[in-house]
Amino acid sequence: QVQLVESGGGLVQAGESLRLSCAASGDVFKYNYMAWYRGAPGNQRELVARIVPGGNTDYADNVKGRFTISSDNAKKLIYLQMNNLKPEDTDTYYCNLDLLLYPNLSRYILWGQGTQVTVSS
């Protein structure tokens, strides 16, 4: 199995930056996409950014130009660089992975436990 563990959240002031990391540990897999979502626990989550094999990315309109998603596939790490943070970015951020697990290529959609980002004005 594969587990996701996020890190990098915290409290910052508006205009500052944070980088979130998500480490995938466990069995060997290939992925359909890697993504970051945000939302209050128990509420619907909003897609923030997504990356697919080959490196194509897409972003929510309200983070375009400020956030960058990237991945280190060899190390099974997913990053979200967040610049020029705004108070409205305050939320719980979740790593999300759509993967195919070897050897049977069974599909799984996994979520991390969430990391809190708080931006003060």
Side-chain angles (χ1 to χ4, degrees):
Q1 297 299 316
V2 177
Q3 293 184 327
L4 304 180
V5 177
E6 299 124 336
S7 60
L11 171 63
V12 296
Q13 293 187 331
E16 294 184 339
S17 299
L18 280 175
R19 188 176 80 158
L20 306 182
S21 299
C22 176
S25 63
D27 295 337
V28 178
F29 62 90
K30 64 177 181 178
Y31 71 99
N32 293 318
Y33 68 80
M34 299 178 177
W36 288 93
Y37 282 74
R38 64 187 182 189
N43 290 351
Q44 187 171 357
R45 296 171 184 174
E46 170 194 24
L47 175 66
V48 176
R50 179 167 49 200
I51 186 167
V52 298
N56 286 342
T57 57
D58 62 271
Y59 297 90
D61 287 343
N62 53 9
V63 306
K64 282 181 181 177
R66 300 188 298 122
F67 290 11
T68 303
I69 187 171
S70 61
S71 65
D72 182 333
N73 296 338
K75 297 181 180 179
K76 295 191 284 186
L77 290 167
I78 311 158
Y79 301 105
L80 185 68
Q81 177 67 42
M82 304 185 294
N83 298 328
N84 189 23
L85 281 160
K86 303 177 180 180
E88 52 263 42
D89 295 317
T90 294
D91 221 325
T92 303
Y93 285 71
Y94 298 90
C95 176
N96 170 243
L97 186 62
D98 182 330
L99 62 87
L100 301 174
L101 193 62
Y102 287 104
N104 297 321
L105 297 183
S106 300
R107 184 185 181 194
Y108 295 89
I109 297 176
L110 302 179
W111 293 89
Q113 81 285 0
T115 185
Q116 179 65 34
V117 172
T118 303
V119 185
S120 64
S121 58

Short mmCIF file of all heavy atoms in Angstrom, two decimals, residues 51-94:
data_model
loop_
_atom_site.label_atom_id
_atom_site.label_comp_id
_atom_site.label_asym_id
_atom_site.label_seq_id
_atom_site.Cartn_x
_atom_site.Cartn_y
_atom_site.Cartn_z
N ILE A 51 -1.01 18.08 -11.28
CA ILE A 51 0.06 17.80 -12.23
C ILE A 51 -0.10 16.37 -12.73
O ILE A 51 -0.46 15.47 -11.96
CB ILE A 51 1.45 18.03 -11.59
CG1 ILE A 51 2.56 17.90 -12.62
CG2 ILE A 51 1.69 17.09 -10.41
CD1 ILE A 51 3.91 18.41 -12.12
N VAL A 52 0.13 16.19 -14.03
CA VAL A 52 0.02 14.86 -14.64
C VAL A 52 1.38 14.44 -15.17
O VAL A 52 2.28 15.27 -15.31
CB VAL A 52 -1.02 14.87 -15.77
CG1 VAL A 52 -2.40 15.20 -15.22
CG2 VAL A 52 -0.62 15.82 -16.89
N PRO A 53 1.56 13.14 -15.46
CA PRO A 53 2.83 12.70 -16.05
C PRO A 53 3.13 13.48 -17.32
O PRO A 53 2.25 13.73 -18.13
CB PRO A 53 2.57 11.21 -16.35
CG PRO A 53 1.55 10.81 -15.36
CD PRO A 53 0.67 12.00 -15.18
N GLY A 54 4.35 13.89 -17.44
CA GLY A 54 4.72 14.77 -18.55
C GLY A 54 4.86 16.20 -18.10
O GLY A 54 5.46 17.02 -18.81
N GLY A 55 4.27 16.52 -16.94
CA GLY A 55 4.48 17.83 -16.34
C GLY A 55 3.41 18.87 -16.56
O GLY A 55 3.51 19.98 -16.06
N ASN A 56 2.37 18.54 -17.33
CA ASN A 56 1.30 19.53 -17.51
C ASN A 56 0.60 19.79 -16.18
O ASN A 56 0.37 18.88 -15.39
CB ASN A 56 0.28 19.04 -18.53
CG ASN A 56 0.82 19.11 -19.95
OD1 ASN A 56 1.79 19.80 -20.23
ND2 ASN A 56 0.20 18.38 -20.85
N THR A 57 0.28 21.05 -15.97
CA THR A 57 -0.34 21.46 -14.71
C THR A 57 -1.59 22.29 -14.98
O THR A 57 -1.76 22.86 -16.07
CB THR A 57 0.63 22.32 -13.88
OG1 THR A 57 1.03 23.45 -14.66
CG2 THR A 57 1.86 21.53 -13.48
N ASP A 58 -2.46 22.32 -14.00
CA ASP A 58 -3.55 23.28 -14.03
C ASP A 58 -3.82 23.75 -12.61
O ASP A 58 -3.50 23.05 -11.63
CB ASP A 58 -4.81 22.71 -14.69
CG ASP A 58 -5.38 21.53 -13.98
OD1 ASP A 58 -4.96 20.41 -14.30
OD2 ASP A 58 -6.24 21.73 -13.10
N TYR A 59 -4.38 24.97 -12.53
CA TYR A 59 -4.54 25.65 -11.25
C TYR A 59 -5.93 26.26 -11.13
O TYR A 59 -6.55 26.64 -12.12
CB TYR A 59 -3.51 26.78 -11.12
CG TYR A 59 -2.08 26.31 -11.12
CD1 TYR A 59 -1.37 26.19 -12.30
CD2 TYR A 59 -1.45 25.98 -9.93
CE1 TYR A 59 -0.06 25.75 -12.30
CE2 TYR A 59 -0.14 25.54 -9.92
CZ TYR A 59 0.55 25.43 -11.11
OH TYR A 59 1.85 24.99 -11.10
N ALA A 60 -6.37 26.39 -9.89
CA ALA A 60 -7.57 27.17 -9.64
C ALA A 60 -7.29 28.62 -10.02
O ALA A 60 -6.15 29.11 -9.85
CB ALA A 60 -7.95 27.07 -8.17
N ASP A 61 -8.30 29.32 -10.50
CA ASP A 61 -8.11 30.69 -10.95
C ASP A 61 -7.56 31.58 -9.84
O ASP A 61 -6.76 32.48 -10.09
CB ASP A 61 -9.42 31.26 -11.47
CG ASP A 61 -9.82 30.68 -12.82
OD1 ASP A 61 -8.95 30.10 -13.50
OD2 ASP A 61 -11.00 30.80 -13.19
N ASN A 62 -7.98 31.33 -8.61
CA ASN A 62 -7.59 32.23 -7.53
C ASN A 62 -6.18 32.01 -7.01
O ASN A 62 -5.73 32.71 -6.10
CB ASN A 62 -8.61 32.17 -6.38
CG ASN A 62 -8.86 30.77 -5.88
OD1 ASN A 62 -8.18 29.83 -6.27
ND2 ASN A 62 -9.86 30.61 -5.01
N VAL A 63 -5.45 31.02 -7.57
CA VAL A 63 -4.06 30.83 -7.17
C VAL A 63 -3.09 30.94 -8.35
O VAL A 63 -1.87 30.88 -8.15
CB VAL A 63 -3.85 29.48 -6.45
CG1 VAL A 63 -4.81 29.33 -5.28
CG2 VAL A 63 -3.99 28.30 -7.42
N LYS A 64 -3.62 31.09 -9.55
CA LYS A 64 -2.75 31.18 -10.73
C LYS A 64 -1.78 32.34 -10.59
O LYS A 64 -2.15 33.44 -10.18
CB LYS A 64 -3.59 31.36 -11.99
CG LYS A 64 -4.24 30.09 -12.49
CD LYS A 64 -5.05 30.35 -13.76
CE LYS A 64 -5.72 29.09 -14.25
NZ LYS A 64 -6.57 29.33 -15.43
N GLY A 65 -0.52 32.06 -10.93
CA GLY A 65 0.51 33.08 -10.83
C GLY A 65 1.13 33.20 -9.45
O GLY A 65 2.15 33.87 -9.29
N ARG A 66 0.53 32.55 -8.45
CA ARG A 66 1.07 32.61 -7.09
C ARG A 66 1.54 31.24 -6.59
O ARG A 66 2.50 31.14 -5.84
CB ARG A 66 0.01 33.15 -6.13
CG ARG A 66 -0.47 34.55 -6.45
CD ARG A 66 -1.37 35.11 -5.34
NE ARG A 66 -2.58 34.32 -5.17
CZ ARG A 66 -2.92 33.73 -4.03
NH1 ARG A 66 -2.13 33.84 -2.96
NH2 ARG A 66 -4.06 33.04 -3.93
N PHE A 67 0.84 30.19 -7.00
CA PHE A 67 1.16 28.83 -6.55
C PHE A 67 1.78 28.03 -7.68
O PHE A 67 1.41 28.21 -8.85
CB PHE A 67 -0.10 28.11 -6.08
CG PHE A 67 -0.70 28.61 -4.80
CD1 PHE A 67 -0.29 29.81 -4.21
CD2 PHE A 67 -1.70 27.88 -4.17
CE1 PHE A 67 -0.86 30.26 -3.04
CE2 PHE A 67 -2.28 28.33 -2.99
CZ PHE A 67 -1.86 29.52 -2.43
N THR A 68 2.68 27.12 -7.33
CA THR A 68 3.30 26.24 -8.31
C THR A 68 3.34 24.82 -7.76
O THR A 68 3.88 24.60 -6.67
CB THR A 68 4.72 26.69 -8.65
OG1 THR A 68 4.70 28.04 -9.13
CG2 THR A 68 5.32 25.79 -9.72
N ILE A 69 2.79 23.89 -8.51
CA ILE A 69 2.87 22.48 -8.14
C ILE A 69 4.01 21.83 -8.90
O ILE A 69 4.25 22.14 -10.07
CB ILE A 69 1.53 21.74 -8.41
CG1 ILE A 69 1.56 20.32 -7.85
CG2 ILE A 69 1.17 21.76 -9.89
CD1 ILE A 69 0.22 19.62 -7.90
N SER A 70 4.73 20.94 -8.23
CA SER A 70 5.81 20.21 -8.88
C SER A 70 5.94 18.86 -8.21
O SER A 70 5.37 18.62 -7.14
CB SER A 70 7.12 20.99 -8.80
OG SER A 70 7.51 21.19 -7.46
N SER A 71 6.71 17.99 -8.85
CA SER A 71 6.90 16.66 -8.27
C SER A 71 8.31 16.17 -8.54
O SER A 71 8.94 16.55 -9.53
CB SER A 71 5.88 15.67 -8.83
OG SER A 71 6.08 15.47 -10.20
N ASP A 72 8.80 15.34 -7.64
CA ASP A 72 10.04 14.62 -7.82
C ASP A 72 9.65 13.15 -7.83
O ASP A 72 9.49 12.53 -6.78
CB ASP A 72 11.02 14.93 -6.69
CG ASP A 72 12.36 14.24 -6.85
OD1 ASP A 72 12.41 13.18 -7.51
OD2 ASP A 72 13.35 14.76 -6.34
N ASN A 73 9.45 12.61 -9.02
CA ASN A 73 8.90 11.27 -9.12
C ASN A 73 9.84 10.21 -8.56
O ASN A 73 9.38 9.22 -7.99
CB ASN A 73 8.55 10.97 -10.58
CG ASN A 73 7.46 11.87 -11.09
OD1 ASN A 73 6.69 12.44 -10.32
ND2 ASN A 73 7.39 12.04 -12.40
N ALA A 74 11.14 10.41 -8.73
CA ALA A 74 12.09 9.43 -8.21
C ALA A 74 12.00 9.33 -6.70
O ALA A 74 12.13 8.25 -6.12
CB ALA A 74 13.49 9.79 -8.65
N LYS A 75 11.78 10.46 -6.05
CA LYS A 75 11.69 10.48 -4.59
C LYS A 75 10.25 10.39 -4.10
O LYS A 75 10.01 10.37 -2.89
CB LYS A 75 12.33 11.75 -4.05
CG LYS A 75 13.82 11.86 -4.33
CD LYS A 75 14.40 13.14 -3.75
CE LYS A 75 15.88 13.24 -4.03
NZ LYS A 75 16.47 14.50 -3.49
N LYS A 76 9.31 10.34 -5.04
CA LYS A 76 7.87 10.26 -4.69
C LYS A 76 7.48 11.41 -3.78
O LYS A 76 6.89 11.21 -2.71
CB LYS A 76 7.55 8.89 -4.09
CG LYS A 76 7.73 7.74 -5.09
CD LYS A 76 7.17 6.42 -4.58
CE LYS A 76 8.06 5.79 -3.56
NZ LYS A 76 7.59 4.44 -3.16
N LEU A 77 7.83 12.61 -4.22
CA LEU A 77 7.49 13.81 -3.48
C LEU A 77 6.67 14.74 -4.36
O LEU A 77 6.92 14.86 -5.56
CB LEU A 77 8.76 14.54 -3.02
CG LEU A 77 9.57 13.86 -1.93
CD1 LEU A 77 10.93 14.52 -1.81
CD2 LEU A 77 8.84 13.93 -0.60
N ILE A 78 5.72 15.41 -3.74
CA ILE A 78 4.88 16.39 -4.42
C ILE A 78 5.00 17.69 -3.63
O ILE A 78 4.93 17.68 -2.40
CB ILE A 78 3.40 15.94 -4.44
CG1 ILE A 78 3.28 14.50 -4.92
CG2 ILE A 78 2.57 16.88 -5.31
CD1 ILE A 78 2.01 13.83 -4.48
N TYR A 79 5.17 18.79 -4.34
CA TYR A 79 5.35 20.08 -3.67
C TYR A 79 4.26 21.06 -4.12
O TYR A 79 3.73 20.96 -5.23
CB TYR A 79 6.71 20.69 -4.03
CG TYR A 79 7.89 19.83 -3.67
CD1 TYR A 79 8.59 19.13 -4.65
CD2 TYR A 79 8.30 19.71 -2.35
CE1 TYR A 79 9.68 18.34 -4.33
CE2 TYR A 79 9.40 18.93 -2.01
CZ TYR A 79 10.08 18.25 -3.00
OH TYR A 79 11.16 17.46 -2.67
N LEU A 80 3.98 21.99 -3.24
CA LEU A 80 3.15 23.13 -3.59
C LEU A 80 3.84 24.37 -3.05
O LEU A 80 3.86 24.60 -1.84
CB LEU A 80 1.73 23.02 -3.02
CG LEU A 80 0.78 24.14 -3.45
CD1 LEU A 80 0.48 24.05 -4.96
CD2 LEU A 80 -0.52 24.10 -2.66
N GLN A 81 4.43 25.14 -3.96
CA GLN A 81 5.06 26.40 -3.59
C GLN A 81 4.00 27.49 -3.63
O GLN A 81 3.36 27.70 -4.66
CB GLN A 81 6.20 26.74 -4.55
CG GLN A 81 6.87 28.06 -4.28
CD GLN A 81 7.63 28.08 -2.96
OE1 GLN A 81 8.31 27.12 -2.64
NE2 GLN A 81 7.51 29.17 -2.21
N MET A 82 3.82 28.15 -2.50
CA MET A 82 2.78 29.16 -2.39
C MET A 82 3.43 30.50 -2.08
O MET A 82 4.03 30.68 -1.02
CB MET A 82 1.79 28.78 -1.27
CG MET A 82 1.18 27.41 -1.46
SD MET A 82 -0.08 27.02 -0.22
CE MET A 82 0.92 26.97 1.26
N ASN A 83 3.32 31.42 -3.02
CA ASN A 83 3.90 32.75 -2.88
C ASN A 83 2.80 33.80 -2.75
O ASN A 83 1.66 33.57 -3.16
CB ASN A 83 4.79 33.08 -4.07
CG ASN A 83 5.97 32.14 -4.20
OD1 ASN A 83 6.50 31.64 -3.22
ND2 ASN A 83 6.40 31.91 -5.43
N ASN A 84 3.17 34.94 -2.22
CA ASN A 84 2.23 36.05 -2.07
C ASN A 84 0.92 35.56 -1.44
O ASN A 84 -0.18 35.81 -1.98
CB ASN A 84 1.97 36.71 -3.42
CG ASN A 84 1.19 37.99 -3.31
OD1 ASN A 84 1.17 38.64 -2.26
ND2 ASN A 84 0.52 38.38 -4.39
N LEU A 85 1.05 34.91 -0.33
CA LEU A 85 -0.13 34.34 0.32
C LEU A 85 -1.08 35.42 0.81
O LEU A 85 -0.65 36.52 1.20
CB LEU A 85 0.29 33.44 1.48
CG LEU A 85 0.78 32.06 1.06
CD1 LEU A 85 1.63 31.42 2.14
CD2 LEU A 85 -0.40 31.17 0.70
N LYS A 86 -2.36 35.12 0.75
CA LYS A 86 -3.41 36.04 1.15
C LYS A 86 -4.22 35.41 2.29
O LYS A 86 -4.28 34.18 2.40
CB LYS A 86 -4.33 36.32 -0.03
CG LYS A 86 -3.62 36.88 -1.25
CD LYS A 86 -4.59 37.06 -2.41
CE LYS A 86 -3.86 37.64 -3.63
NZ LYS A 86 -4.78 37.83 -4.77
N PRO A 87 -4.87 36.23 3.10
CA PRO A 87 -5.69 35.66 4.18
C PRO A 87 -6.73 34.66 3.67
O PRO A 87 -7.02 33.67 4.37
CB PRO A 87 -6.36 36.90 4.79
CG PRO A 87 -5.37 37.99 4.54
CD PRO A 87 -4.78 37.69 3.19
N GLU A 88 -7.25 34.87 2.47
CA GLU A 88 -8.24 33.93 1.94
C GLU A 88 -7.65 32.59 1.55
O GLU A 88 -8.40 31.66 1.20
CB GLU A 88 -8.99 34.56 0.75
CG GLU A 88 -8.11 35.12 -0.33
CD GLU A 88 -7.91 36.62 -0.19
OE1 GLU A 88 -7.70 37.10 0.96
OE2 GLU A 88 -7.91 37.29 -1.23
N ASP A 89 -6.32 32.46 1.58
CA ASP A 89 -5.70 31.15 1.35
C ASP A 89 -5.69 30.30 2.62
O ASP A 89 -5.30 29.13 2.57
CB ASP A 89 -4.25 31.33 0.87
CG ASP A 89 -4.16 31.99 -0.49
OD1 ASP A 89 -4.97 31.63 -1.38
OD2 ASP A 89 -3.29 32.86 -0.66
N THR A 90 -6.09 30.88 3.72
CA THR A 90 -6.15 30.13 4.98
C THR A 90 -7.08 28.94 4.82
O THR A 90 -8.24 29.09 4.44
CB THR A 90 -6.63 31.03 6.11
OG1 THR A 90 -5.65 32.04 6.35
CG2 THR A 90 -6.83 30.22 7.40
N ASP A 91 -6.55 27.76 5.12
CA ASP A 91 -7.34 26.55 4.96
C ASP A 91 -6.50 25.34 5.35
O ASP A 91 -5.31 25.47 5.66
CB ASP A 91 -7.80 26.38 3.50
CG ASP A 91 -9.24 25.91 3.40
OD1 ASP A 91 -9.67 25.12 4.27
OD2 ASP A 91 -9.93 26.33 2.44
N THR A 92 -7.15 24.16 5.31
CA THR A 92 -6.43 22.91 5.45
C THR A 92 -6.14 22.38 4.04
O THR A 92 -7.05 22.29 3.22
CB THR A 92 -7.24 21.88 6.24
OG1 THR A 92 -7.58 22.41 7.52
CG2 THR A 92 -6.44 20.60 6.43
N TYR A 93 -4.89 22.06 3.79
CA TYR A 93 -4.45 21.62 2.47
C TYR A 93 -4.19 20.11 2.48
O TYR A 93 -3.54 19.60 3.40
CB TYR A 93 -3.19 22.38 2.05
CG TYR A 93 -3.48 23.80 1.65
CD1 TYR A 93 -3.83 24.75 2.60
CD2 TYR A 93 -3.41 24.20 0.32
CE1 TYR A 93 -4.12 26.05 2.25
CE2 TYR A 93 -3.69 25.50 -0.05
CZ TYR A 93 -4.05 26.42 0.92
OH TYR A 93 -4.34 27.72 0.56
N TYR A 94 -4.69 19.46 1.42
CA TYR A 94 -4.60 18.01 1.33
C TYR A 94 -3.88 17.59 0.05
O TYR A 94 -4.19 18.09 -1.04
CB TYR A 94 -6.00 17.38 1.32
CG TYR A 94 -6.80 17.63 2.57
CD1 TYR A 94 -7.63 18.75 2.67
CD2 TYR A 94 -6.76 16.75 3.64
CE1 TYR A 94 -8.38 18.98 3.81
CE2 TYR A 94 -7.52 16.97 4.78
CZ TYR A 94 -8.31 18.09 4.85
OH TYR A 94 -9.06 18.31 5.99
#
